[in-house]
Amino acid sequence: MTLDPAARKPMTVSALTLSVKCRLEEFYPGVLVAGEVSNFTHANSGHWYFSLKDAGATLKCVMFRGFALRARFDPKDGTQVIARGGLTLYPQRGEYQCLVEELTQQGVGSAELALRRLKEKLLQKGYFAPERKRRLPPYPRRIALIASPTGAAIRDMLQILKVRWPLAEVVVRPSRVQGDGAAVEVATAVRMLSGLHATRKLPLSAIVVGRGGGSSQDLAAFNEEVIADAIFDSAVPVVSAVGHEIDVCIADMVADYRALTPSEAMTQLCPDRGEMLDGLVDTAARLDDAVNARLALARERLTRMADRPALRKPFERIRDSEQKLDDWGARLSRAAERRLTRSGEQVAALADQLESLSPLNVLKRGFSLTTLADGRLLRSAGEVRPGDTLRTRTPDGVVVSTVTDRPGVSS
Amino acid sequence: MTEPTPPVRFEVALAELEKILRELEDGTTSLEDALARYERGVGILKACYGQLRDAEQRIRQLTGVGEDGSPEFKAFEHSASVEGTKPTRRAKPSADDLFG
């Protein structure tokens, strides 16, 4: 055999692949292989695609519809199975695979078994008890996000927070969320934030653990006990948003709230600023209506009082106050039209004036009016000095008196 | 560590507003009390409104915990940074005129 390339005609990729395929099929027409199912997909065509794996290797498998229909169980990731079939090669991808004809269940895979044991243990410890789920605060003020700093999850969460509820300060604690060591990193972050909250160094409304979608193998970190413990021990309510709709992971089960996606977590956690602003506008209108109704009532009482003959004479001033009240009422209505602009000041002034004019206060003074020498109404003992002359009008006449003392008033 | 100015506690503020409204709508308060409550209500509304309108998102990255147990921060930088957006415009344009 010569090594001169010119002397040998090269094979095409297709020809070489076909050659390998033939040998594979010839040497492995029927194999019996045991392994754990992973990445199981039930395609629309009815074919099953999955891998069989053990600690050291992975084997791609296809089970066509006709064979899949005859299987007596639905394989899931983690199921330990024995497959019977022949090896072949899929030329387009250059991958060899096993065409499985028969699949039998061989008990539960070790990983799946460990997960079930852990779930059982945590259940016994009360980690999943509904009564220990805490309510999320209605108006969060500071939210901690644990997520990959470069992923889509953090970007989505920040974006929604910015629009819905920018009032909450955001504290980001970056962490890996998949792969070896991710579980410990997330757990450490939860503990750090919980500790800062507990010592009042950084009070928090909620901790959100967020992660975008992915295959269920990527979710493994959130099935580890170290994360469960950290969430269970957290002094702050924890929202789990690890983005997997089908499989509920242990972090989801321990958390106070489980969100299907990081975006949904933010929507559940925060009120909407726009809706609240609209609500405040409605409240302002109600407040206006209520105070106007109350003013109308006062006006009506005043009118009735002024119409009583016994009061008419000595209290011409009531007519004045009535008119003024009407004026203020109109002013307030105008204010209401412009809604509540500057209403705080107006109302304060109005309240002062109304108090001094209230006919009830006048009545309490025993139906008399006392005026100073210059005709002004006496309102306070501080306005007079000993020796001043006062005129007091009562319903049946005028009394003239001289001030002799004003106990308790400093000059 | 710098804390933001004490924000309105919405839970408390909204509960008080609701109480004021109920009292005013009952019509059983004296005129003076009614006006005082109205004024208080307007004050609460203004505070809530102002805070909602003016809020700007603040993001910090927690880098660790110092020896004295205090949090340590740096500015948060995200490779796919958040687009700057204006607060959503409301259907009721009078909202901004409302509280001056």
Side-chain angles (χ1 to χ4, degrees):
Chain A
M1 201 183 259
T2 171
L3 288 174
D4 179 6
R8 273 182 81 200
K9 197 175 173 235
M11 287 177 92
T12 62
V13 173
S14 292
L16 177 59
T17 304
L18 186 65
S19 164
V20 174
K21 180 176 153 87
C22 288
R23 276 159 210 248
L24 259 181
E25 290 176 352
E26 188 187 334
F27 283 104
Y28 302 97
V31 294
L32 208 56
V33 56
E36 190 176 317
V37 175
S38 74
N39 286 323
F40 182 83
T41 313
H42 189 160
N44 289 332
S45 56
H47 306 331
W48 288 355
Y49 299 94
F50 55 94
S51 299
L52 284 184
K53 60 167 192 175
D54 59 18
T58 298
L59 171 68
K60 296 237 175 207
C61 298
V62 184
M63 198 161 172
F64 292 120
R65 187 163 171 272
F67 296 112
L69 284 173
R70 269 182 265 146
R72 278 183 288 269
F73 68 105
D74 283 327
K76 278 189 198 141
D77 286 359
T79 313
Q80 200 75 30
V81 295
I82 298 172
R84 188 180 59 75
L87 294 192
T88 184
L89 193 148
Y90 184 53
Q92 282 87 340
R93 274 203 228 124
E95 283 175 357
Y96 87 96
Q97 55 189 17
C98 181
L99 296 179
V100 179
E101 294 174 10
E102 193 184 333
L103 203 61
T104 48
Q105 197 164 6
Q106 204 205 21
V108 178
S110 58
E112 178 67 20
L113 198 63
L115 183 59
R116 282 191 202 173
R117 282 207 194 103
L118 179 57
K119 279 185 183 168
E120 185 58 31
K121 175 182 165 189
L122 299 181
L123 180 71
Q124 296 301 324
K125 285 167 85 176
Y127 275 32
F128 310 143
E131 62 269 17
R132 65 163 295 279
K133 304 273 182 213
R134 286 164 291 197
R135 219 167 52 87
L136 300 177
Y139 306 101
R141 294 162 71 173
R142 188 183 285 124
I143 297 170
L145 305 179
I146 300 172
S148 161
T150 53
I154 187 85
R155 191 192 55 219
D156 293 350
M157 290 193 285
L158 290 173
Q159 182 64 44
I160 290 176
L161 277 175
K162 189 185 186 90
V163 173
R164 274 185 81 88
W165 196 243
L167 288 84
E169 189 205 338
V170 185
V171 173
V172 177
R173 174 64 187 175
S175 167
R176 283 184 300 147
V177 290
Q178 59 192 57
D180 287 343
V184 171
E185 232 176 88
V186 171
T188 306
V190 171
R191 288 194 186 282
M192 180 189 287
L193 288 160
S194 168
L196 287 168
H197 173 85
T199 54
R200 310 308 298 165
K201 298 282 189 186
L202 188 71
L204 293 166
S205 303
I207 296 173
V208 182
V209 181
R211 172 188 165 280
S215 88
S216 69
Q217 276 176 340
D218 296 340
L219 209 59
F222 293 93
N223 276 326
E224 291 194 23
E225 191 169 6
V226 62
I227 285 192
D229 287 341
I231 294 176
F232 183 78
D233 292 340
S234 172
V236 186
V238 175
V239 177
S240 169
V242 297
H244 208 273
E245 293 181 29
I246 305 154
D247 294 327
V248 179
C249 63
I250 284 180
D252 286 336
M253 295 164 78
V254 187
D256 295 279
Y257 185 85
R258 179 205 175 199
L260 293 181
T261 63
S263 303
E264 197 224 343
M266 294 302 107
T267 311
Q268 292 297 326
L269 184 57
C270 296
D272 183 71
R273 157 161 79 161
E275 281 172 19
M276 277 190 74
L277 285 171
D278 286 351
L280 288 183
V281 171
D282 292 343
T283 306
R286 262 177 80 193
L287 199 58
D288 249 14
D289 290 347
V291 83
N292 279 327
R294 191 64 190 78
L295 278 173
L297 186 67
R299 201 178 294 129
E300 192 194 327
R301 281 185 190 155
L302 197 57
T303 310
R304 256 187 281 135
M305 198 171 295
D307 283 347
R308 284 163 66 181
L311 297 177
R312 203 174 280 158
K313 262 289 182 194
F315 298 106
E316 301 97 332
R317 296 178 67 95
I318 287 176
R319 290 289 180 200
D320 290 348
S321 23
E322 196 180 53
Q323 212 171 346
K324 278 182 189 162
L325 200 54
D326 281 342
D327 288 348
W328 289 319
R331 267 167 56 195
L332 199 68
S333 294
R334 281 199 300 278
E337 278 160 27
R338 285 181 288 125
R339 302 242 142 173
L340 297 176
T341 311
R342 290 196 313 278
S343 56
E345 297 92 278
Q346 286 182 350
V347 168
L350 188 57
D352 285 344
Q353 289 169 321
L354 279 171
E355 188 176 23
S356 65
L357 288 163
S358 164
L360 298 174
N361 287 347
V362 176
L363 290 173
K364 276 183 213 147
R365 290 202 292 264
F367 305 105
S368 69
L369 287 168
T370 301
T371 48
L372 300 165
D374 61 5
R376 281 186 299 121
L377 193 64
L378 176 66
R379 291 168 189 275
S380 130
E383 292 178 279
V384 296
R385 292 168 177 283
D388 284 358
T389 299
L390 299 175
R391 291 170 61 84
T392 303
R393 282 182 66 182
T394 69
D396 57 353
V398 176
V399 178
V400 180
S401 52
T402 305
V403 176
T404 56
D405 194 9
R406 303 163 302 152
V409 177
S410 56
S411 342
Chain B
M1 186 177 68
T2 54
E3 283 294 323
T5 48
V8 174
R9 297 203 64 107
F10 284 97
E11 299 93 319
V12 179
L14 296 182
E16 190 180 349
L17 260 182
E18 197 51 44
K19 182 165 168 278
I20 288 173
L21 271 170
R22 273 202 313 275
E23 288 166 349
L24 281 181
E25 286 167 350
D26 278 354
T28 51
T29 49
S30 72
L31 188 57
E32 288 81 358
D33 280 354
L35 290 169
R37 284 190 167 90
Y38 176 73
E39 190 182 10
R40 168 91 185 127
V42 170
I44 295 171
L45 275 171
K46 276 185 172 174
C48 290
Y49 187 87
Q51 196 172 326
L52 282 169
R53 189 195 47 196
D54 299 337
E56 281 185 28
Q57 191 177 43
R58 189 156 165 260
I59 306 170
R60 289 186 290 177
Q61 177 171 332
L62 180 66
T63 54
V65 179
E67 279 178 17
D68 64 343
S70 292
E72 287 169 353
F73 296 103
K74 69 171 190 175
F76 178 70
E77 283 164 24
H78 183 256
S79 52
S81 65
V82 177
E83 294 294 313
T85 51
K86 298 203 155 212
T88 41
R89 287 311 305 169
R90 306 313 312 159
K92 301 187 182 179
S94 61
D96 261 338
D97 314 328
L98 183 57
F99 302 98

